[in-house]
Amino acid sequence: MKKLYFGSNLKMYKGVRETEKYLKKLAENTQNISREEIELFIIPSYTALPAAVRCSDCNDIVIGAQNMCWEDQGQFTGEISPCMLEELGVKLVMIGHSERRHVFGESDAEENKKVRSALAHGFRTLLCVGETAEEKEYGISAEILRKQLKIGFYGVDPKESKNIWVAYEPVWSIGVNGVPATSEYAQRMHMEIKKVLFEIFGNQAEKIPVLYGGSVNPENADQLIVQSAIDGLFVGRSAWNADEFDKLIRSAVYTYKQYW
Ligand code: PGA
């Protein structure tokens, strides 16, 4: 069975104590799900990162950062350097989440600088891509994904593929006003993404998991996970309760095994 990826970005919601509580509960709930079968990761707020990394019961949960500056140090007020994340023991960095791109105006070229820096520092690097509703309406979703991937991974050595993850998160599907993508549409876009990754990285691209995110919920998770080009689920709201997330993961793994 291929390894399935499950993770959640806690955005700007849980503080230190809440994150600790959540992680402990999630670790306890999921402890008997084999880590040969799944990779579980959580991306808390910056302020909760030290506590999250120290959480000794949570060794089976990879902890990631929500963003990162591309420079090691310098005159970058308000930014967090890769060295600072390394010092904490963070293993994963997410780059280019839809809210970074669309609320904070980050460009593909900036995401590329961050991706290259994160890989140079040895982080598992999760690049998020996805088209807006308008781009979908114009029928240019595949072109947008191609642009985000080609620029995002520009200059990256194929040898780095082992540390690269990609999340497909259509902007129109994310958050309270989001409409979840159908499993057919998500599968189609994941195939496009895999095609472009193959163009960039050749055979090494096979190692890169591509996760779907955007209004994943207990109703659509099973349908999504059985799609051949979907390697995992990147969940927001439906993951922020540890019991609910555990149930969603178990159901998805069970369904995947039945299907394949
Ligand atoms: P959502 O968030 O599942 O709440 O739509 C997804 C995301 O932003 O990663």
Side-chain angles (χ1 to χ4, degrees):
M1 162 177 164
K2 75 173 175 187
K3 197 172 209 181
L4 301 175
Y5 291 70
F6 294 93
S8 184
N9 160 24
L10 305 184
K11 306 195 179 183
M12 199 175 72
Y13 284 104
K14 294 181 193 296
V16 182
R17 267 184 295 277
E18 257 189 290
T19 302
E20 271 181 318
K21 238 167 66 189
Y22 169 77
L23 282 173
K24 282 194 174 144
K25 188 88 177 76
L26 187 63
E28 189 187 306
N29 285 349
T30 58
Q31 68 181 353
N32 66 355
I33 309 179
S34 159
R35 291 315 196 256
E36 302 283 304
E37 294 181 352
I38 71 158
E39 177 93 38
L40 180 57
F41 64 98
I42 297 295
I43 307 184
S45 65
Y46 277 130
T47 56
L49 278 177
V53 171
R54 273 198 312 266
C55 171
S56 53
D57 307 333
C58 312
N59 288 337
D60 286 338
I61 302 178
V62 176
I63 301 297
Q66 296 182 8
N67 183 24
M68 187 194 88
C69 183
W70 57 82
E71 291 288 348
D72 287 358
Q73 60 175 23
Q75 303 177 89
F76 298 99
T77 303
E79 288 292 303
I80 307 284
S81 134
C83 305
M84 295 169 183
L85 295 176
E86 254 171 4
E87 193 182 19
L88 289 182
V90 168
K91 296 282 180 269
L92 166 78
V93 176
M94 171 171 66
I95 307 289
H97 184 272
S98 144
E99 288 146 22
R100 295 305 315 168
R101 291 176 187 268
H102 298 285
V103 183
F104 297 98
E106 290 183 9
S107 67
D108 287 320
E110 279 172 319
E111 311 309 6
N112 176 245
K113 286 200 269 185
K114 294 181 184 201
V115 163
R116 286 162 71 153
S117 168
L119 289 168
H121 280 272
F123 293 115
R124 276 177 245 175
T125 303
L126 170 63
L127 179 68
C128 302
V129 295
E131 80 284 6
T132 64
E134 192 185 22
E135 289 158 347
K136 179 170 183 271
E137 176 64 26
Y138 284 130
I140 54 168
S141 304
E143 286 84 349
I144 295 298
L145 296 176
R146 168 173 295 271
K147 174 173 147 298
Q148 291 177 343
L149 291 164
K150 284 239 161 169
I151 301 178
F153 290 125
Y154 178 74
V156 172
D157 189 320
K159 284 208 251 8
E160 303 277 17
S161 305
K162 59 179 192 313
N163 276 332
I164 294 173
W165 300 358
V166 171
Y168 169 57
E169 299 204 296
V171 181
W172 46 269
S173 75
I174 294 176
V176 275
N177 299 317
V179 185
T182 62
S183 50
E184 295 76 23
Y185 184 82
Q187 164 76 356
R188 205 146 34 86
M189 291 306 122
H190 276 236
M191 305 254 292
E192 292 290 342
I193 290 170
K194 293 205 173 212
K195 197 166 83 189
V196 179
L197 290 175
F198 185 77
E199 281 174 31
I200 302 172
F201 298 116
N203 289 335
Q204 299 294 322
E206 279 167 26
K207 297 190 187 124
I208 303 176
V210 183
L211 287 65
Y212 172 78
S215 294
V216 174
N217 60 49
E219 281 73 52
N220 64 13
D222 295 357
Q223 275 254 338
L224 287 161
I225 200 70
V226 297
Q227 304 302 315
S228 61
I230 296 184
D231 304 311
L233 301 175
F234 193 24
V235 191
R237 289 155 297 154
S238 297
W240 297 339
N241 172 299
D243 291 336
E244 299 302 316
F245 194 25
D246 173 55
K247 270 194 236 152
L248 186 149
I249 295 169
R250 280 175 197 278
S251 172
V253 172
Y254 177 80
T255 309
Y256 181 86
K257 285 183 177 167
Q258 296 292 307
Y259 193 89
W260 290 99

